């Protein structure tokens, strides 16, 4: 007669079966070993499957409890990138244009005749929380014996210059220098044995626009799988800040070189801008994973910087742009026509799968409001102006780059906040 099924008889049966299957113990032991050895990667995978992690700035960070250089954390529910601009003539600007000799003449708006300074007095105020004050002493001490590098285009060079301006006053004369070597510009703080560097690579990948001085090429081409062409110059960096966007905006298609620029017959294909950009993002992340130590280094990526080339975008007159604009855009939902949401979607998709924590500096929306902060006509011109241009300043106003001091100091305040309080 069959014995009744009980917990004790069932356990005895299972034990007997387990004794007959030594492979079971081997399998369990292997699973435990792998879980301990690759625990962080399992957390990464679980993080990717969590449908609630829908904010790009945090999806890549929440998998790591403690990031290098952090000394605290941003309060839960505080989105530093969502807020408003408030007038503040007591703490702004963070430095004077005339006090920072490192600003390129393309960004010195006061020197080149801008009559107002209102653009310098706006402070970013996140909703429901505060942006930590930029502490130059803490930043320099953190950089002691280390290397910080900005890699990308001229907009990243502007952010790099802003960082140098925010720090250099604490360094005695004779203890600091700035030198340029082709694509690389190096600011050295000798007393701190620290460098802050900028590397020109507008696509991150190798391209036909890589000359740091002569790069105004309309027929732009990037080379597939060429991240190491520039990446060999980025090794040993402790804090990395990438950007790339503006140079991809040549239309709906992008030319991609499959072989080498040295090939006599070049194999060039066309991809959609989004697919080509995705290719570059994946290459960047592969380089980061292979060359950066996530326990000792940090990587930031600055989102697209908006331009203000069409005043009809904000309800202005057709045919005008940022020229003579001195007020902010007050529509909280404003999004300029030059900012492709499809590119933001590519970034979100690629970064969400990263096994290295990338801190996303989402400066696009807050910068969209700042049609007043561009260099416009108040900069050194690359070429002499024609009589037609002089008669029509709108035709040559620069609505891409930003005056310093100004908006890009806020970008660095956000970088500072996410470096120390992620």
């Amino acid at each position: 007669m069959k014995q009744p099924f009980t917990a004790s008889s069932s356990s005895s049966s299972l034990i007997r079966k387990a004794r007959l299957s030594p492979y079971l113990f081997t399998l369990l032991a292997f699973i435990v070993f792998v879980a301990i050895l690759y625990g962080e990667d399992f957390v990464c995978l679980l993080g990717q499957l969590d449908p609630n992690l829908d904010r790009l700035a945090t999806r890549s960070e929440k998998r790591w409890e403690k990031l290098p250089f952090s000394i605290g954390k941003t309060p839960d529910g505080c989105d530093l990138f969502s807020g408003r601009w408030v007038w503040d003539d007591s703490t702004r600007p963070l430095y004077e244009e005339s006090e920072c000799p490192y600003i390129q003449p393309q960004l010195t708006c006061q020197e080149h005749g801008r009559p107002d300074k209102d653009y310098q007095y706006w402070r970013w105020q996140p909703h429901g929380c505060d942006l930590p004050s930029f502490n130059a002493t803490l930043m320099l001490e953190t950089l002691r014996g280390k290397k910080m590098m900005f890699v990308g285009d001229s907009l990243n060079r502007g952010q790099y210059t802003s960082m140098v301006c925010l720090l250099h006053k604490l360094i005695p004369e004779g203890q600091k220098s700035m030198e340029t070597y082709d694509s690389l510009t190096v600011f050295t703080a000798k007393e701190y044995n620290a460098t802050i560097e900028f590397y020109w690579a507008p696509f991150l990948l190798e391209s036909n626009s890589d000359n740091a001085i002569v790069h105004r090429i309309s027929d732009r081409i990037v080379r597939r799988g060429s991240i190491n062409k520039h990446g060999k110059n980025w090794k040993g960096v402790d804090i990395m800040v990438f950007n790339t966007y503006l140079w991809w905006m040549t239309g709906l298609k992008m030319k991609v070189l499959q072989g080498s620029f040295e090939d006599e017959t070049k194999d060039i294909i066309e991809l959609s801008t989004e697919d080509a950009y995705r290719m570059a993002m994946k290459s960047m992340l592969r380089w980061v994973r292979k060359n950066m130590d996530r326990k000792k280094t940090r990587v930031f990526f600055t989102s697209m910087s908006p331009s203000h080339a069409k005043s009809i975008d904000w309800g202005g007159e057709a045919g005008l742009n940022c020229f003579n604009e001195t007020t902010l855009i007050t529509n909280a939902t404003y999004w300029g026509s030059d900012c492709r949401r499809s590119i933001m979607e590519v970034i979100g998709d690629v970064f969400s799968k990263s096994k290295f924590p990338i801190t996303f500096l989402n400066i696009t929306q807050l910068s969209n409001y700042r049609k007043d902060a561009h260099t416009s006509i108040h900069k050194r011109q690359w070429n002499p102006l024609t009589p037609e241009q002089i008669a029509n300043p709108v035709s040559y106003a620069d609505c891409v780059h930003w005056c310093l001091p100004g908006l890009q100091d806020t970008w660095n305040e956000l970088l500072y906040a996410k470096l120390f309080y992620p």
Side-chain angles (χ1 to χ4, degrees), residues 298-345:
R298 289 287 295 279
V299 177
F300 295 82
F301 187 90
T302 304
S303 68
M304 64 184 79
S305 173
S307 63
H308 293 87
K310 299 176 182 178
S311 59
I312 56 172
D313 283 357
W314 57 85
E317 183 181 337
L320 300 182
N321 55 24
C322 72
F323 172 68
N324 265 355
E325 290 288 351
T326 58
T327 60
L328 281 63
I329 293 171
T330 56
N331 178 3
T333 62
Y334 173 79
W335 187 268
S337 61
D338 65 305
C339 294
R340 289 198 197 175
R341 293 187 185 274
S342 58
I343 294 294
M344 292 286 267
E345 291 169 2

Side-chain angles (χ1 to χ4, degrees), residues 5 12 19 29 46 64 149 154 161 183 190 236 248 250 263 269 273 293 319 321 323 357 369 377 382 410 422:
F5 184 85
S12 300
R19 285 173 180 165
L46 289 173
W64 289 266
M149 180 179 281
S154 57
T161 304
S183 295
K190 298 175 185 176
W248 297 88
T250 59
D263 293 342
I269 62 172
T273 301
D293 184 344
N321 55 24
F323 172 68
Y369 305 135
I377 65 171
W382 287 101
T410 297

